[in-house]
């Protein structure tokens, strides 16, 4: 509430929220899939590359992959949170509509 007698209203466009949720979920899934493909590509390096340089590269790559997995986890969590919010807003909108119709 802001000021005497004033209320703050939050307006949510549930269709836009659902579309954003879907897009975010699709992007998070794509990121995960591409990260897995990247790891598969690097797993074959030992066939083509040997020696100390490979070992240093793989150590560096392991750190980078750890960071990429952290990003992957954040994207998945964000998509889950958006999906939860979208589901809750839609459920509450439906409940409100049912209450209004009952009068």
């Amino acid at each position: 509430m802001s000021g005497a007698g004033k209320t703050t209203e939050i307006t949510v466009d549930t269709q836009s929220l659902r579309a954003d949720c879907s897009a975010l979920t699709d992007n998070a899934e794509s990121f995960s899939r591409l990260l897995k493909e990247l790891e598969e590509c690097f797993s074959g390096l030992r066939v083509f590359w040997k020696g100390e340089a490979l070992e240093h590269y793989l150590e560096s790559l392991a750190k980078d992959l750890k960071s990429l997995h952290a990003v992957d986890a954040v994207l998945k969590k964000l998509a889950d949170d958006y999906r939860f919010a979208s589901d809750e807003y839609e459920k509450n909108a439906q409940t409100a509509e049912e209450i209004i119709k009952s009068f």
Side-chain angles (χ1 to χ4, degrees):
M1 201 179 269
S2 60
K6 294 182 182 179
T7 60
T8 303
E9 185 177 314
I10 298 173
T11 304
V12 176
D13 179 350
T14 55
Q15 288 179 334
S16 291
L17 181 59
R18 179 57 67 187
D20 290 347
C21 176
S22 179
L24 183 56
T25 299
D26 290 347
N27 287 326
E29 289 171 355
S30 291
F31 186 87
S32 292
R33 187 184 73 254
L34 292 170
L35 180 55
K36 184 177 180 178
E37 288 176 19
L38 180 65
E39 287 179 304
E40 289 170 0
C41 289
F42 287 124
S43 69
L45 279 179
R46 291 188 185 278
V47 174
F48 304 105
W49 192 7
K50 305 257 187 252
E52 191 175 318
L54 172 64
E55 298 309 316
H56 288 295
Y57 181 77
L58 291 177
E59 287 175 22
S60 177
L61 177 63
K63 292 176 189 174
D64 292 341
L65 288 174
K66 185 177 179 180
S67 295
L68 289 172
H69 280 284
V71 170
D72 187 43
V74 168
L75 289 174
K76 287 177 183 175
K77 174 78 168 93
L78 188 58
D80 288 345
D81 290 348
Y82 262 69
R83 189 170 18 287
F84 175 78
S86 180
D87 291 346
E88 289 298 304
Y89 276 114
E90 286 180 8
K91 182 172 57 174
N92 291 332
Q94 184 178 10
T95 300
E97 189 175 312
E98 289 170 4
I99 291 170
I100 291 168
K101 285 181 181 178
S102 71
F103 286 106

